[in-house]
Amino acid sequence: MSALTFDIRVLRSLLSIAETGSVTETARRLGRTQPAITLQLKRLEDLSGRVLFRQEARRMVLTRDGELILTYAKSILRTHDELVSKLASDEIEGQVVLGTPDLYAAYVLPDVLSHFRKEFPRIQVQLQCSLSTPLVKLVHRGEVDVALVTRMNDFTGGQVVHREQLIWITGEQSTAHEESPVPLALLPPGNIFRDHAIEAMEASGRPWRIACISESVSGLQAAVFSGMAVTVLGRHAIVPGMREISPSDAFPLLPKVEMLLYKSRSAVNPAARALHEYLSFYLGSTTEEAARAAPHPSDIFGK
């Protein structure tokens, strides 16, 4: 009998690449890094002994072998999701307040929360979007049950679930990065994305100015799309209409930032525990070596 086994998470990546035609978009959609998705695809091709995609213009297109494997992948995923949904503990119910910046709400959490809702249909998640610093205070006060935030310099506690590479981003047709002083679109003071951008500009010796301050990522995106500014975000936040500026003397390589997961001490109900453990598992599996299927409810509750 063949010893071949196919990881559920890898099959989800295959399906997403087939739908989007892009490793970058798949990484954004699934809340993973682009290298992790690329490595998943390579290992799937090595495992199957088939070339699954070919490049057409700027889009990845399935080969005939890729289409065959995708057909079975869809069937496996459908059966897997139906089984997990049926086995999910029906008695686990309640409401959980999940706090996160809008950046993560838009680019990291949609796929995670979609699967969580299927597996725990009686848990109601109330999403509260705010900046990381006030969210951590709300968690400590018990006003938010679970929070996914960016680590700031003064944060303590929390569980590191992901490390995200910061990059310089400009509009696809923009020349803002060539201007002097460089116009920057930044989050408000006290945010580590802002701090790293300013420190890097100062280190390069290049003149800069603030062209936009926004508490919301949509404001930063608007400044970038219009061509009026350069911004700094995690690589997963790149969307069509944006492009990454390669590191150089003018735009030094930026550091990675850490994503932290917090749970309030007062959030002791099973619903809050389920969401916290699910996010911890799902977002914590950011390397191919740690990639596994999503946790079964019995893994969380010991049943």
Side-chain angles (χ1 to χ4, degrees), residues 229-247:
V230 173
T231 194
V232 168
L233 292 171
R235 181 169 279 127
H236 70 268
I238 286 190
V239 296
M242 293 179 170
R243 63 186 174 91
E244 178 180 349
I245 302 173
S246 299

Side-chain angles (χ1 to χ4, degrees), residues 9 159 276-285 290 292-295:
R9 193 178 296 267
Q159 173 191 354
H276 178 264
E277 294 298 329
Y278 196 89
L279 291 175
S280 174
F281 186 98
Y282 199 108
L283 298 175
S285 298
R292 303 185 296 275

Side-chain angles (χ1 to χ4, degrees), residues 264-299:
S264 173
R265 290 184 178 180
S266 63
V268 295
N269 62 80
R273 180 185 172 192
L275 179 61
H276 178 264
E277 294 298 329
Y278 196 89
L279 291 175
S280 174
F281 186 98
Y282 199 108
L283 298 175
S285 298
T286 55
T287 62
E288 182 63 20
E289 290 74 14
R292 303 185 296 275
H296 185 275
S298 63
D299 297 328

Side-chain angles (χ1 to χ4, degrees), residues 149-228:
V149 301
T150 305
R151 181 195 290 277
M152 302 298 155
N153 290 326
D154 59 345
F155 283 8
T156 58
Q159 173 191 354
V160 178
V161 292
H162 184 61
R163 290 177 174 84
E164 176 78 3
Q165 177 66 53
L166 293 183
I167 60 172
W168 300 98
I169 299 175
T170 189
E172 204 162 42
Q173 305 300 324
S174 174
T175 58
H177 59 294
E178 299 174 356
E179 296 180 20
S180 184
V182 179
L184 299 178
L186 301 174
L187 292 162
N191 186 278
I192 201 165
F193 286 30
R194 174 194 178 100
D195 294 345
H196 284 317
I198 292 175
E199 288 171 7
M201 282 283 100
E202 291 291 330
S204 73
R206 188 169 179 185
W208 58 274
R209 65 182 177 87
I210 295 179
C212 171
I213 298 177
S214 174
E215 292 189 354
S216 168
V217 68
S218 60
L220 304 182
Q221 288 177 322
V224 169
F225 289 146
S226 68
M228 68 178 287

Side-chain angles (χ1 to χ4, degrees), residues 51-56 59-64 67:
V51 176
L52 305 182
F53 289 92
R54 65 179 184 276
Q55 196 77 31
E56 286 190 3
R59 185 177 179 85
M60 297 180 69
V61 178
L62 285 166
T63 63
R64 182 172 296 181
E67 291 175 352

